[in-house]
Each structure stands twice: as C-alpha cells, then as structure tokens.
Amino acid sequence: DARVTQTPRHKVTEMGQEVTMRCQPILGHNTVFWYRQTMMQGLELLAYFRNRAPLDDSGMPKDRFSAEMPDATLATLKIQPSEPRDSAVYFCASGNYQPQHFGDGTRLSIL
Amino acid sequence: GENVEQHPSTLSVQEGDSAVIKCTYSDSASNYFPWYKQELGKGPQLIIDIRSNVGEKKDQRIAVTLNKTAKHFSLHITETQPEDSAVYFCAASRTAGGTSYGKLTFGQGTILTVHP
C-alpha cells in the first residue's frame, strides 16, 4: 500500500533551535495537509497545499512557522525559533481532495 | 467555520458488545464525513466515510449513519474485539466551494477500550 512518509519520527531539541519536518505525500495526490496534535487542542489544521500552491495557512503562527512544497514529492514544515509550546505530534496527510491519508507523524519535544 | 462535537470522550465495552460514537456538526454545507482510527504511536487511519447523498454505509462490522436534517452522524461497531481498542475521530468537510474546500474539521476523539 502507498503511504505518506514523514521524517524524522522523533525530534528533541532546545528552545530557540530551528526544526524542519519533512513529508513525502503519496504519489499522484494533489493536496497536502499539515496538522498538529496535542492533548489539549486535539487535531488542528496548520496549513495545506493544492497542486503545490499554498491554499490556507491560517492555522499557523506565521511569525515562527513556515510551510513549503518545493516539489510534488516533498512538503516541509519549519519552526524558527522553536518554543516549548510547540511540543506536539505533527502529521502530514495527502489526498486527491478526499479522503486524506495520514503519515505516522513527527513527535517534537522542545526543551 | 465548522465545529464538530464528538461524544462520548471515553467508551468502555466488553468484547462482543456493540460500540456507538456520535458526532454533531454545525456547517450545513458539509457533505463529507470520515471516521478515523488512531492507534498509539500511529497516524489516524481512515476506516469508513460517508457522503451526504447516502444515509447509511456499512463495511463488515463497521457502519456509519448520517442524519443531515439533524446534522449528526454516528459510528457503529458491532461484535467488538480487543484490537478495536484505539482513539476514534469523526470529521466533517465540504467537498466543493471556497477556500475551505477539502479542509477536515475533527471532533475531539473517543478513547474506545474493549475488554477481553
């Protein structure tokens, strides 16, 4: 089965450091989503792209977060500078509109 | 925007019993309703979905019902097994129109525990 691949699976770093998370969507999917999951807020949509163009990033703190799709096989989510409140699991999902298929996430811990 | 409420937050059943999880949504334009299962350390996995032109859909032990008038939909799992234990999420989306096209709004999740 085709899968969404996310790297790294785990990341521990100190406050203030830059963090980059990567996602390889399923080949042929035209939409890529970034979500953040925490116990308190549940699953929150941060940003999404369609045909590599950003459609909506209203869920993202824009002063420190940025999302890009340099090509159809790679989506990136960057945090600079990172803060302890950014600790969460970050998921990427892809689809042709619906349904969305999720990767297994990057578990991020900011000390 | 869309708001999805999910109940209960936790559900404990004995193996072989049925489990029902309910969700309500606020946006009458939503027309796509998936259910996801999330196991520990994994991403959410789609288990069943329903579109608004259908009132019920079944896949083996799993069924989903939709009441568009009341704006609620439910997940039914029959003959539960210990491997059904996980967190279940409902979600709602529009499949056409505007910048919200394709965005999923998730419920808060239900922790289902099936006791052997």
Side-chain angles (χ1 to χ4, degrees):
Chain A
D1 282 344
R3 297 176 61 88
V4 173
T5 303
Q6 290 187 246
T7 56
R9 290 296 318 278
H10 299 90
K11 176 76 175 178
V12 181
T13 192
E14 292 187 346
M15 182 173 65
Q17 297 298 305
E18 178 177 298
V19 174
T20 299
M21 292 169 272
R22 293 177 174 80
C23 168
Q24 182 178 354
I26 294 172
L27 192 64
H29 282 181
N30 65 3
T31 311
V32 175
F33 302 82
W34 282 105
Y35 292 89
R36 176 169 63 185
Q37 186 176 40
T38 62
M39 289 296 292
M40 293 301 295
Q41 299 298 325
L43 272 164
E44 303 174 276
L45 179 66
L46 297 175
Y48 74 111
F49 297 78
R50 182 155 294 134
N51 298 319
R52 295 178 55 204
L55 276 194
D56 187 346
D57 61 1
S58 59
M60 222 162 56
K62 295 187 191 54
D63 57 336
R64 299 184 300 108
F65 284 58
S66 62
E68 296 180 345
M69 265 200 89
D71 62 61
T73 64
L74 178 65
T76 63
L77 180 66
K78 290 185 180 180
I79 308 174
Q80 170 63 19
S82 57
E83 298 181 1
R85 59 180 167 151
D86 302 328
S87 297
V89 182
Y90 291 81
F91 288 105
C92 174
S94 73
N96 277 330
Y97 307 106
Q98 299 293 356
Q100 295 178 26
H101 300 269
F102 283 74
D104 284 334
T106 294
R107 182 173 293 275
L108 178 63
S109 296
I110 308 296
L111 306 177
Chain B
E2 175 67 277
N3 182 52
V4 177
E5 297 286 334
Q6 183 173 343
H7 299 281
S9 55
T10 60
L11 180 58
S12 183
V13 300
Q14 289 296 126
E15 183 176 0
D17 288 350
S18 295
V20 181
I21 304 170
K22 299 182 179 182
C23 290
T24 59
Y25 61 99
S26 62
D27 185 355
S28 57
S30 288
N31 56 3
Y32 174 71
F33 307 94
W35 285 88
Y36 285 84
K37 174 183 180 182
Q38 187 176 21
E39 297 175 325
L40 200 62
K42 300 285 190 179
Q45 299 297 308
L46 180 73
I47 56 172
I48 196 167
D49 56 10
I50 191 168
R51 298 179 190 268
S52 59
N53 58 346
V54 175
E56 183 173 359
K57 184 176 178 181
K58 192 172 181 180
D59 182 4
Q60 299 183 355
R61 298 185 296 108
I62 294 172
V64 57
T65 59
L66 171 65
N67 183 328
K68 281 221 75 176
T69 303
K71 289 192 279 190
H72 67 70
F73 55 113
S74 300
L75 177 71
H76 304 252
I77 306 174
T78 59
E79 300 172 23
T80 54
Q81 301 166 3
E83 50 265 39
D84 294 329
S85 297
V87 182
Y88 291 80
F89 292 95
C90 63
S93 173
R94 299 181 184 187
T95 57
T99 56
S100 62
Y101 177 13
K103 288 172 64 171
L104 284 177
T105 301
F106 283 87
Q108 288 299 302
T110 296
I111 301 172
L112 173 64
T113 304
V114 181
H115 298 282

